[in-house]
């Protein structure tokens, strides 16, 4: 690991303390806070602000999915499922990977159903990390990675995606690998920046993982929220499947973040340890909801096309509204988030940075966003001081209302 990459210091204390630190739950004075997403949702509820902070859709998912789950609830599908999930969902995940990406995991030994992508990620990390191992990822990043890496006693080594273009620096990425690197986490499309990794970046990640004999964990929860061209999982690259665990969930694709149904797919030799770990975290995910998810994954292409079109329209509206309000948005290629340089809003409200702006915007303008520094390491936080993340997983009229409020 070179000086361009940031390694979190190895923190002493109980596993819980380390985890809280890695997930950013400890304030600078050592007090316990909630996750930044919880905190921002609480702020929105308290102030009555439009909540563009925590990313969750404000509409229900497809009726076919809801009906299948309701039928299972009423039809006696209310006991434990097998640890790896109901066979119908394992089949549906395998078929989804084949249909969209030409990847063919074995439905029974190569797919495990989890309690959201969150448990899929946690089980994947806990299954393969030992104390002292290093895990390479880009930052800013989803908070769970830091927390679970710390839980495992490992260390996160992060490479910044730098504003204003947030594209990966592949030389810096190479410099982040070292003799202790055991794993790479690639979140594509990327939360919070909306970056989509191109073929050159994917190939380089796969190549570095092979050279350093690492497991790759890809977080693809936004796989169907891509606005130009289809998603290409890293596992679809020649030779990459054998060392890659691919994680996704129903949350974003089927507007069901509260269902807590996700999955991990890959080669049996990697998925087996994930299943064994997951058995002792939650045993299994909610049976009737797994059956709903199986129905959803099998929906025709028209459903997926409409989803992408819908979110593209919302993205365009939010980008336009943010620009009109004086922010400088970076147009995302994927996810339902826009990051924007809110320097002008900070000046207008007389505060120094996005972290200070968040509560002020909630109170005065009635809009909540997530300050990007909350998702960055101490070493690179300064790069994102004036950047804020806004979610467009919301109705168009709410996005327009948020724009009007921000401009006032
Ligand atoms: N990874 C990323 C990048 C996310 O943004 C989220 C949450 N939205 C998750 C994982 C967790 O997904 P789930 O709700 O399926 O656990
Ligand atoms: N993934 C969502 C986000 O990034 C929030 C999930 C959570 O609250 N942990 O906003």
């Amino acid at each position: 690991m070179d000086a361009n990459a940031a390694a979190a210091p190895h923190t002493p204390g109980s596993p819980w303390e380390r985890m809280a630190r890695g997930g950013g739950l400890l304030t600078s004075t050592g007090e316990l806070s909630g996750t930044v997403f919880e905190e921002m949702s609480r702020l929105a509820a308290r102030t009555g602000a439009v909540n563009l902070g925590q990313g969750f859709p404000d509409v229900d998912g497809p009726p076919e999915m809801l009906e299948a789950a309701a039928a299972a609830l009423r039809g006696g599908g209310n006991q434990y499922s097998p640890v790896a999930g109901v066979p119908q969902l394992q089949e549906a995940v395998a078929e989804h990977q084949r249909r969209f990406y030409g990847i063919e995991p074995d439905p029974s030994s190569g797919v495990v159903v989890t309690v959201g992508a969150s448990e899929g990620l946690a089980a994947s990390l806990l299954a393969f990390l030992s104390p002292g191992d290093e895990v390479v990822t880009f930052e800013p990043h989803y908070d769970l990675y830091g927390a679970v890496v710390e839980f495992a006693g490992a260390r996160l080594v992060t490479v910044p995606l730098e504003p204003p273009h947030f594209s990966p620096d592949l030389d810096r990425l190479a410099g982040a690998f070292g003799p202790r690197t055991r794993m790479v986490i690639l979140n594509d499309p990327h939360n919070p920046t909306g970056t989509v990794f191109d073929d050159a970046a994917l190939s380089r990640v796969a190549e570095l993982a092979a050279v350093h004999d690492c497991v790759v964990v890809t977080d693809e929860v936004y796989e169907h929220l891509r606005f130009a061209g289809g998603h290409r999982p890293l596992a679809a690259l020649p030779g990459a499947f054998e060392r890659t665990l691919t994680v996704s969930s129903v949350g974003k694709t089927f507007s069901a973040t509260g269902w807590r149904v996700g999955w991990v797919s890959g080669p049996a030799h990697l998925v087996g340890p994930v299943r064994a770990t997951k058995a002792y975290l939650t045993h299994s995910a909610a049976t009737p909801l797994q059956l709903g998810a199986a129905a959803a994954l099998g929906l025709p292409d028209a459903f997926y096309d409409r989803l992408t079109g819908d979110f593209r329209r919302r993205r365009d509206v939010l980008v336009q509204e943010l620009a009109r309000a004086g922010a400088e948005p970076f147009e995302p290629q994927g996810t339902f988030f826009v990051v924007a340089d809110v320097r002008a809003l900070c000046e207008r409200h007389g505060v120094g940075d996005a972290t200070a702006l968040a509560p002020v915007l909630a109170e005065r303008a009635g809009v909540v966003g997530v300050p990007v520094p909350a998702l960055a390491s101490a070493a690179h936080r300064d790069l994102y001081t004036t950047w804020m993340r806004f979610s467009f997983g919301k109705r168009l009229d709410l996005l327009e209302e948020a724009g009007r409020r921000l401009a006032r």
Side-chain angles (χ1 to χ4, degrees):
M1 200 239 334
D2 73 4
N4 276 329
H10 210 72
T11 41
S14 67
W16 154 246
E17 267 175 354
R18 286 201 311 270
M19 193 278 280
R21 230 179 286 279
L25 295 183
L26 288 183
T27 65
S28 51
T29 55
E31 285 151 75
L32 198 56
S33 64
T35 73
V36 67
F37 308 115
E38 271 182 287
E39 232 177 281
M40 293 302 128
S41 280
R42 238 187 334 254
L43 179 64
R46 184 169 58 74
T47 56
V50 178
N51 188 358
L52 306 186
Q54 190 178 33
F56 60 90
D58 60 0
V59 291
D60 273 338
E64 295 88 340
M65 172 182 89
L66 304 177
E67 286 309 321
L73 271 169
R74 291 198 198 94
N78 296 303
Q79 308 308 326
Y80 292 129
S81 81
V83 165
V86 298
Q88 295 93 319
L89 181 51
Q90 289 182 295
E91 292 278 353
V93 169
E95 171 55 22
H96 171 276
Q97 296 304 94
R98 192 200 58 74
R99 169 180 164 196
F100 287 99
Y101 312 127
I103 307 173
E104 302 195 344
D106 181 81
S108 67
S109 62
V111 177
V112 56
V113 175
T114 53
V115 178
S118 300
E119 193 202 19
L121 290 161
S124 299
L125 271 57
L126 293 172
F128 291 101
L129 294 177
S130 303
D133 284 348
E134 289 182 356
V135 179
V136 171
T137 200
F138 289 107
E139 73 165 299
H141 61 78
Y142 189 52
D143 57 353
L144 177 143
Y145 309 159
V148 181
V149 164
E150 289 279 357
F151 232 165
R155 293 200 316 159
L156 201 56
V157 178
T158 54
V159 179
L161 296 168
E162 289 204 34
H165 300 299
F166 300 100
S167 48
D169 179 331
L170 300 181
D171 293 331
R172 256 173 118 158
L173 178 69
F177 283 76
R180 311 200 77 144
T181 312
R182 172 80 174 119
M183 183 179 281
V184 187
I185 303 174
L186 185 73
N187 174 210
D188 181 29
H190 182 262
N191 176 9
T193 64
T195 295
V196 158
F197 294 91
D198 63 13
D199 283 354
L202 292 180
S203 303
R204 191 72 180 122
V205 172
E207 198 177 281
L208 288 164
V211 168
H212 294 272
D213 196 20
C214 297
V215 175
V216 183
V217 175
T218 65
D219 178 346
E220 305 187 16
V221 297
Y222 300 101
E223 62 189 314
H224 290 290
L225 299 183
R226 269 201 62 153
F227 308 119
H231 176 61
R232 180 138 101 114
L234 184 135
L237 265 57
F241 180 78
E242 285 302 318
R243 61 175 68 253
T244 304
L245 288 164
T246 302
V247 182
S248 192
S249 73
V250 295
K252 322 295 147 110
T253 305
F254 302 113
S255 304
T257 58
W259 277 28
R260 319 304 307 126
V261 174
W263 46 84
V264 182
S265 63
H269 70 96
L270 295 182
V271 171
V274 175
R275 183 177 58 235
T277 306
K278 173 267 181 308
Y280 298 110
L281 294 175
T282 59
H283 187 271
S284 47
T287 306
L289 303 185
Q290 292 187 53
L291 291 163
L297 280 168
L299 286 168
D301 289 354
F303 165 82
Y304 292 92
D305 294 343
R306 202 172 329 115
L307 178 82
T308 312
D310 251 21
F311 275 94
R312 190 185 298 111
R313 243 183 328 277
R314 294 182 215 194
R315 173 198 65 176
D316 293 345
V317 167
L318 185 57
V319 165
Q320 192 181 14
E321 293 292 342
L322 287 168
R324 215 201 312 267
E328 291 172 51
F330 167 70
E331 185 177 274
Q333 303 155 281
T335 76
F336 52 35
F337 301 115
V338 189
V339 288
D341 189 339
V342 291
R343 188 178 312 238
L345 298 182
C346 290
E347 280 165 22
R348 195 182 306 155
H349 290 282
V351 295
D353 57 31
T355 307
L357 183 65
V360 172
L361 264 193
E363 298 278 358
R364 290 199 201 148
V367 177
V368 164
V370 171
V372 175
L375 304 173
S377 72
H380 295 306
R381 203 163 287 152
D382 286 355
L383 289 170
Y384 312 104
T385 313
T386 59
W387 287 80
M388 194 169 246
R389 188 195 81 174
F390 298 93
S391 173
F392 52 92
K394 308 290 164 187
R395 295 194 319 266
L396 281 176
D397 58 306
L398 269 186
L399 298 177
E400 283 159 357
E401 173 60 20
R404 277 191 294 275
R405 291 178 177 204
L406 287 172
R408 276 206 291 263

